[in-house]
Amino acid sequence: MTEFVVAIPARFAASRLPGKPLRLLGSEPLVLHVARRALLAGAREVWVATDDSRIADVLDGLAEVKVAMTAAGHASGTDRLAECARIAGWSDETVVVNLQGDEPFAPAAGIRAVAQALVEGEAAMSTLATTVEDAHTLFDPNVVKLVRNVRNEAMYFSRAPIAWHRDGFARSRDVLPEGHRWLRHIGIYGYRAGFLQQFAAMPPGQLEQVEALEQLRVLEAGFPISVALSPEPFPPGIDTPEDLARAEALLQSLATR
C-alpha cells in the first residue's frame, strides 16, 4: 500500500456553517468523525490543521491524531495545509492527502485511492470523482462537475453541467440523456508536500476566481490533475445546516443496519 499522510483543514469560521468542525453529528463533533476516517484508511500520520484551540481540545482523546495550530488569516485550506506541512516537517516527496474537515463518511478505500492515483500517475496532483446519478445534481451549482481526458487527467472543473448535451438538454433538463456518463467531483486531493508548497504560493487564476474553485488554479498554471473514480460511494460533504441534517439521518440509518 502507498505510504501517505492525511492532513485535515478545520477552520472554525466557516461562512455557511459557523463553527462547523465542532457541530455535533450524533453525539460527537464533526471533526472527530473525519479524523477517525483518516485513521481507518491506514495513514502513516494524521494531522488536523486548525486556527482555534476549541477544535484542538476536542481532539485530545485521539492520541494518534496530531494538531497543527495554524494562522487564522489563511485564505484557503491549501494555505493552511502548507503551513501544517512545514510544522510537521514533511519531506518534499511525502504523499499528502487533503481530506476536507466536512467529510464524516469518507470511505477508507477512497482516501487510499487518491494517494494511489498520485503515485501511479504522472500528474502533480490527484483527486476523485463519482458518477452523477440524476439531472438535479448535474444542474446544481453547488455540485462541482468535471471532464477528464484519455489519461484520466482533468480537463476542466465547473459548477455548470459539463459536458453540455446539446440535443438531450434541448428536449429536457429533467432527466439525464442516455449515452454519456457525467462525473461529480469529490473534494479530496493528493499531492506531494513539495508541490503543496508550490500550489499555495501560486497567485489565484482567473478561472479560479470566476468559478470559485481552487483546483482550477493548478490547471490554469499548466499542471495536470489525475482523476480516479472512487472505489466506494463517497457521500457529499457538509456545508449547510440542511447537509448536517441529512448527515444525521444517514448516521442513524447506518447505526440501525
Side-chain angles (χ1 to χ4, degrees):
M1 186 178 73
T2 297
E3 184 178 89
F4 63 95
V5 301
V6 171
I8 302 167
R11 181 171 69 103
F12 183 83
S15 56
R16 287 188 285 179
L17 194 60
K20 179 163 62 173
L22 299 181
R23 295 291 185 114
L24 295 183
L25 179 59
S27 60
E28 294 184 314
L30 184 60
V31 69
L32 273 179
H33 291 272
V34 180
R36 289 199 185 100
R37 289 286 175 168
L39 291 170
L40 285 172
R44 185 190 79 198
E45 299 174 27
V46 176
W47 286 72
V48 173
T50 186
D51 59 352
D52 195 289
S53 60
R54 288 169 291 184
I55 296 171
D57 289 344
V58 302
L59 291 161
D60 278 348
L62 284 181
E64 309 98 320
V65 176
K66 301 176 183 180
V67 176
M69 295 303 301
T70 55
H74 286 307
S76 70
T78 301
D79 295 335
R80 192 172 305 284
L81 292 197
E83 184 182 357
C84 176
R86 295 191 293 270
I87 292 171
W90 295 324
S91 71
D92 284 351
E93 292 303 307
T94 301
V95 175
V96 181
V97 173
N98 174 351
L99 177 61
Q100 302 298 314
D102 58 5
E103 297 280 3
F105 303 109
I111 297 170
R112 291 192 292 268
V114 77
Q116 196 68 26
L118 179 73
V119 172
E120 292 181 349
E122 297 181 359
M125 187 165 152
S126 63
T127 191
L128 296 182
T130 191
T131 303
V132 173
E133 300 293 345
D134 57 78
H136 174 77
T137 299
L138 184 66
F139 282 90
D140 185 348
N142 294 312
V143 176
V144 179
K145 281 70 65 173
L146 65 91
V147 288
R148 58 181 187 167
N149 61 26
V150 295
R151 295 185 300 276
N152 293 330
E153 294 172 352
M155 298 170 67
Y156 194 66
F157 298 85
S158 182
R159 298 182 182 279
I162 54 172
W164 182 264
H165 198 296
R166 186 193 64 176
D167 295 337
F169 293 146
R171 291 189 296 268
S172 172
R173 300 184 189 179
D174 296 326
V175 295
L176 293 179
E178 295 181 358
H180 184 73
R181 178 174 65 171
W182 282 267
L183 295 177
R184 170 176 71 84
H185 180 227
I186 297 169
I188 183 173
Y189 301 100
Y191 19 57
R192 298 190 187 277
F195 183 75
L196 171 58
Q197 300 298 332
Q198 187 177 353
F199 181 9
M202 295 177 191
Q206 290 186 353
L207 295 173
E208 173 188 356
Q209 294 177 67
V210 168
E211 294 250 24
L213 297 175
E214 193 179 22
Q215 64 271 33
L216 289 175
R217 183 188 315 179
V218 175
L219 293 186
E220 195 169 3
F223 294 96
I225 300 175
S226 291
V227 182
L229 296 181
S230 179
E232 294 183 13
F234 207 121
I238 296 171
D239 285 320
T240 66
E242 292 76 18
D243 292 340
L244 187 60
R246 283 192 290 269
E248 185 69 38
L250 177 57
L251 185 68
Q252 294 301 320
S253 70
L254 293 173
T256 57
R257 289 181 185 176

